[in-house]
């Protein structure tokens, strides 16, 4: 069938969607969500929507993805035919039936995913099948390789390329802003690609963007690495393992995370990492609740790294409270800069950063890695390297902590009794930070005056919430009135809270790459 093109001006988020009038769809004997081929000089497969109001009979409504792919103009003619279902759908059905998938089958699924040939429902079915049947290491290896093979890769002509990753779950984890310059200052190449916040108050890319631009092409990234050995960039702009970003959207909507391992390792393989340290925060409020769970995850990460040719170490870290004294993009960037400049001593932030960097150094054959990392930090070499990176990425290399804009609207939270801080609820603190406007409002967030173990007097300040817009503090007040974020009491207090009716349990779900 030949149809005229109608440009709809709709961006469908990367997928090739088209719109047919109902009568044309009947003539083609096709229903919504089925596929057609659209052909001019080139041919693509597109997913069909049916609309009698948006598209007249005899026309094919095209999204921007289809228009750009085929270089279409209004009223130009295209040939449309029913397309066979992708082979990958049978492989997805096999996985739903509990079958183990081989590399060629997984590659077919991932390629169709990247090409936009799978609908949201089909992607959700595959992700759900992985969640219910639990992917084994063979499938995780195949997924990692397929995700790398269907995207761009970073070709760094060096024998050693270092990287680090955290599985996330702990707010305020600004350690990357310290670790990357510490490692790069010793002459090692560390191309750090990071995520923006998905469920957290700030992703590493959000924090770094306060100090410098973070969106670059692969070629520009290589130029920056030649200048400074290190970089901190938003991975979404570079198109490394693009399938991961599509999978993450589905995982987020379903509140499941079966692709954690291939998601981490595909990105590391795509940047050419030869040595990797993975941080696994553990404890109340973190993804891993116990050290036993963390150790089992570490075993799988190390084995998957071995299969992919990446020497990998894991460190299990304390994850029951925020890292440092701040959460929120600008507040965290400011605190990291103050530590790099030796203006502030933030013990837990410094200790975690030096443990990660120290583990990297020892993985690379250096002795006393923690001591070396601490020495680099205290000497000012890490600050100098960070300023070099900021300049290379187009930021102001002379930036000072006081130059960073913080939200001016404040809400102070004080203790209702004396004692000591017994626990901090990461999930609630994240909810407060996001309600205040973070990460979109970079100046929004929380500054902590007290953390676990600190003594507290009744009426003493626990933390201060910053917002760029005053009305956002109203939502924060509602959260504070209904949920507990910090527990204060005596060491001997055994009661956390009393339940008098069936509670609505809000489980922590973190998916930040």
């Amino acid at each position: 069938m030949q149809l005229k093109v109608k440009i709809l001006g709709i961006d469908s988020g990367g997928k090739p969607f088209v719109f047919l009038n109902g009568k044309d769809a009947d003539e083609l004997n096709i229903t919504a969500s089925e596929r057609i081929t659209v052909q001019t000089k080139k041919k693509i497969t597109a997913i069909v929507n049916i609309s009698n109001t948006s598209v007249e009979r005899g026309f094919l409504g095209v999204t921007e993805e289809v228009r750009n792919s085929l270089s279409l103009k209004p009223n130009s003619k295209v040939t449309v035919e029913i397309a066979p279902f992708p082979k990958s759908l049978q492989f997805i059905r096999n996985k739903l039936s509990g079958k183990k998938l081989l590399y060629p089958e997984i590659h077919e699924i991932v390629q169709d995913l990247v090409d936009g040939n799978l609908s949201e429902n089909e992607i959700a079915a595959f992700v759900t099948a992985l969640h219910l049947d639990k992917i084994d290491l063979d499938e995780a290896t195949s997924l990692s390789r397929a995700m790398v093979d269907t995207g761009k890769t970073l070709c760094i002509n060096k024998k050693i390329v270092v990287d680090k990753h955290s599985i996330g779950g702990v707010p305020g984890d600004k350690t990357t802003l310290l670790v990357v310059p510490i490692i790069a200052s010793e002459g090692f190449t560390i191309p750090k690609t990071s995520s923006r916040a998905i469920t957290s108050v700030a992703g590493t890319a959000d924090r770094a963007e306060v100090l410098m631009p973070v969106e670059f092409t692969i070629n520009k990234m290589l130029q920056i690495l030649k200048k400074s050995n290190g970089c901190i960039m938003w991975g979404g702009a570079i198109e490394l393992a693009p399938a991961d970003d599509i999978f993450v959207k589905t995982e987020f909507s379903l509140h499941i995370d079966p692709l954690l391992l291939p998601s981490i390792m595909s990105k590391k393989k795509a940047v050419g990492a030869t040595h990797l340290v993975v941080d696994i925060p553990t404890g109340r409020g973190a993804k891993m609740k116990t050290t036993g769970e963390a150790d089992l995850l570490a075993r799988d990460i190390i084995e998957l790294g071995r299969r992919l040719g990446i020497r990998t170490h894991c460190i299990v870290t304390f994850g029951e409270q925020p890292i440092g004294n701040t959460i929120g993009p600008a507040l965290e960037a400011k605190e990291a800069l103050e530590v790099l400049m030796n203006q502030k001593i933030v013990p837990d932030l410094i200790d975690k950063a030096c443990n990660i960097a120290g583990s990297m150094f020892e993985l690379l054959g250096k002795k006393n890695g923690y001591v070396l990392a601490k020495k680099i930090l205290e000497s000012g070499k890490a600050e100098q390297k960070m300023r070099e990176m900021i300049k290379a990425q187009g930021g102001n290399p002379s930036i000072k902590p006081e130059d960073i804009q913080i939200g001016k609207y404040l809400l102070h939270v004080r203790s209702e009794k004396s004692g000591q801080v017994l626990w901090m609820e990461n999930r609630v603190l994240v909810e407060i930070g996001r309600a205040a406007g973070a990460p979109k409002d970079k100046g929004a967030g929380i500054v902590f005056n007290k953390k676990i173990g600190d003594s507290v007097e009744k009426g003493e300040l626990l933390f201060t919430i910053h917002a760029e817009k005053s009305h956002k503090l109203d939502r924060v007040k509602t959260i504070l009135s209904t949920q507990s974020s910090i527990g204060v009491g005596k060491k001997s207090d055994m009661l956390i809270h009393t339940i008098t009716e069936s509670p609505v349990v809000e489980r922590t779900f973190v998916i930040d790459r």
Side-chain angles (χ1 to χ4, degrees):
M1 175 185 287
Q2 279 207 327
L3 297 173
K4 290 183 179 180
V5 170
K6 181 176 182 180
I7 307 296
L8 298 175
I10 297 172
D11 189 327
S12 57
K15 294 187 182 303
F17 279 104
V18 294
F19 288 75
L20 280 172
N21 182 275
K23 291 184 178 179
D24 288 328
D26 288 341
E27 191 173 331
L28 278 166
N29 195 25
I30 196 167
T31 59
S33 295
E34 290 190 279
R35 295 163 177 78
I36 60 172
T37 59
V38 183
Q39 184 170 359
T40 52
K41 292 180 180 178
K42 296 190 293 183
K43 181 166 72 171
I44 65 167
T45 301
I47 299 169
V48 171
N49 287 287
I50 296 175
S51 173
N52 292 330
T53 56
S54 302
V55 185
E56 303 86 6
R57 190 170 187 184
F59 282 84
L60 179 73
V62 300
T63 57
E64 290 300 287
E65 285 77 5
V66 176
R67 181 181 71 83
N68 291 330
S69 180
L70 297 177
S71 304
L72 298 176
K73 294 181 180 179
N75 295 313
S76 59
K77 289 186 177 181
V78 293
T79 301
V80 301
E81 296 177 354
I82 295 176
F85 276 87
K87 285 193 299 182
S88 60
L89 283 183
Q90 183 56 53
F91 304 145
I92 292 173
R93 292 190 191 104
N94 291 346
K95 189 60 189 173
L96 284 165
S97 300
K99 303 290 192 302
K100 183 175 175 178
L101 299 182
L102 303 176
Y103 176 77
E105 298 168 329
I106 286 175
H107 185 277
E108 188 81 21
I109 293 170
V110 175
Q111 188 67 64
D112 276 341
L113 179 86
V114 172
D115 290 343
N117 293 335
L118 297 177
S119 69
E120 277 80 2
N121 290 341
E122 291 156 353
I123 299 168
F126 181 59
V127 171
T128 302
L130 295 176
H131 173 72
L132 294 175
D133 195 45
K134 309 296 181 189
I135 62 174
D136 62 19
L137 275 172
D138 290 339
E139 289 178 319
T141 304
S142 294
L143 273 162
S144 301
R145 287 180 172 147
M147 289 159 73
V148 173
D149 293 344
T150 53
K152 296 179 180 178
T153 54
L154 194 66
C155 297
I156 302 172
N157 295 319
K158 293 197 176 180
K159 289 184 178 179
I160 295 176
V161 177
V162 190
D163 208 345
K164 62 97 41 181
H165 185 81
S166 172
I167 70 164
V170 181
D173 195 354
K174 55 200 76 74
T175 49
T176 294
L177 299 184
L178 277 62
V179 171
V180 172
I182 288 173
I183 297 298
S185 69
E186 279 292 288
F188 295 109
T189 298
I190 178 165
K192 186 71 183 81
T193 60
S194 303
S195 66
R196 294 192 183 278
I198 303 170
T199 57
S200 64
V201 182
T204 295
D206 300 312
R207 302 173 184 114
E209 196 170 41
V210 174
L211 304 173
M212 54 195 167
V214 295
E215 296 189 20
F216 297 97
T217 63
I218 281 185
N219 288 338
K220 184 62 178 175
M221 184 179 182
L222 287 168
Q223 292 173 20
I224 290 168
L225 286 169
K226 285 180 181 178
K227 290 180 182 177
S228 57
N229 288 333
C231 66
I232 304 173
M233 298 180 179
W234 177 49
I238 304 172
E239 298 180 39
L240 300 171
D244 181 51
D245 297 320
I246 302 168
F247 280 133
V248 164
K249 289 177 184 177
T250 303
E251 290 177 303
F252 173 62
S253 65
L254 296 172
H255 270 52
I256 56 177
D257 192 10
L259 285 133
L260 175 66
L261 282 176
S263 176
I264 293 170
M265 302 306 286
S266 63
K267 290 286 179 74
K268 303 313 170 189
K269 186 67 177 175
V271 298
T274 60
H275 296 71
L276 170 68
V277 171
V278 178
D279 167 36
I280 307 176
T282 303
R284 173 191 175 119
K287 281 184 182 178
M288 298 293 109
K289 308 304 179 190
T290 68
T291 54
E293 286 180 309
D295 289 349
L296 286 172
L297 177 62
R299 181 196 66 179
D300 288 346
I301 290 172
I302 290 169
E303 172 59 17
L304 183 52
R306 185 191 68 77
R307 295 182 181 199
L308 296 173
I310 305 172
R311 288 193 60 198
T312 306
H313 282 182
C314 294
I315 64 169
V316 178
T317 58
F318 183 74
E320 295 194 357
Q321 64 178 347
I323 307 300
N325 300 320
T326 60
I327 63 175
L331 287 165
E332 293 186 49
K334 182 173 183 287
E335 184 172 56
L337 189 57
E338 288 168 338
V339 170
L340 285 166
M341 295 174 70
N342 290 302
Q343 288 186 359
K344 253 187 191 177
I345 303 297
V346 184
D348 60 338
L349 172 59
I350 292 170
D351 185 68
K352 181 167 181 174
C354 290
N355 269 300
I356 293 171
S359 182
M360 284 183 175
F361 284 139
E362 290 177 6
L363 184 59
L364 293 165
K366 292 183 175 286
K367 295 181 179 180
N368 301 317
Y370 182 94
V371 174
L372 174 59
K374 191 94 177 277
K375 183 178 178 182
I376 291 169
L377 187 62
E378 291 174 345
S379 70
K381 280 179 67 178
E383 180 201 349
Q384 183 182 349
K385 177 56 68 173
M386 174 57 96
R387 294 192 182 281
E388 188 180 313
M389 288 166 49
I390 291 171
K391 182 179 180 181
Q393 291 187 210
N396 174 15
S398 302
I399 189 171
K400 299 175 183 177
E402 54 267 29
D403 296 332
I404 297 172
Q405 297 296 308
I406 307 300
K408 64 180 181 179
Y409 296 100
L410 310 178
L411 180 61
H412 302 290
V413 178
R414 300 183 181 276
S415 180
E416 296 178 356
K417 56 184 176 180
S418 299
Q420 71 178 80
V421 178
L422 300 176
W423 50 265
M424 300 178 78
E425 184 60 76
N426 286 337
R427 179 188 62 80
V428 179
L429 293 170
V430 167
E431 190 174 346
I432 290 169
R434 290 178 72 92
K440 186 175 181 181
D441 297 343
K442 284 195 162 48
I446 304 174
V447 176
F448 298 98
N449 290 75
K450 300 290 181 179
K451 294 182 71 177
I452 293 175
D454 290 345
S455 297
V456 181
E457 297 296 327
K458 183 177 180 180
E460 196 171 1
L461 185 64
L462 293 174
F463 57 88
T464 300
I465 301 154
H466 290 254
E468 293 183 1
K469 302 174 181 71
S470 60
H471 69 87
K472 293 196 174 182
L473 292 177
D474 294 334
R475 167 65 180 148
V476 171
K477 291 174 184 176
T478 300
I479 296 170
L480 290 169
S481 68
T482 58
Q483 301 188 68
S484 298
S485 57
I486 294 183
V488 176
K490 297 176 183 177
K491 272 188 180 180
S492 58
D493 288 349
M494 296 300 293
L495 180 68
I496 294 177
H497 57 239
T498 302
I499 301 169
T500 58
E501 59 184 51
S502 181
V504 176
V505 180
E506 295 187 46
R507 298 187 183 277
T508 300
F509 177 72
V510 180
I511 183 165
D512 290 306
R513 301 286 193 242

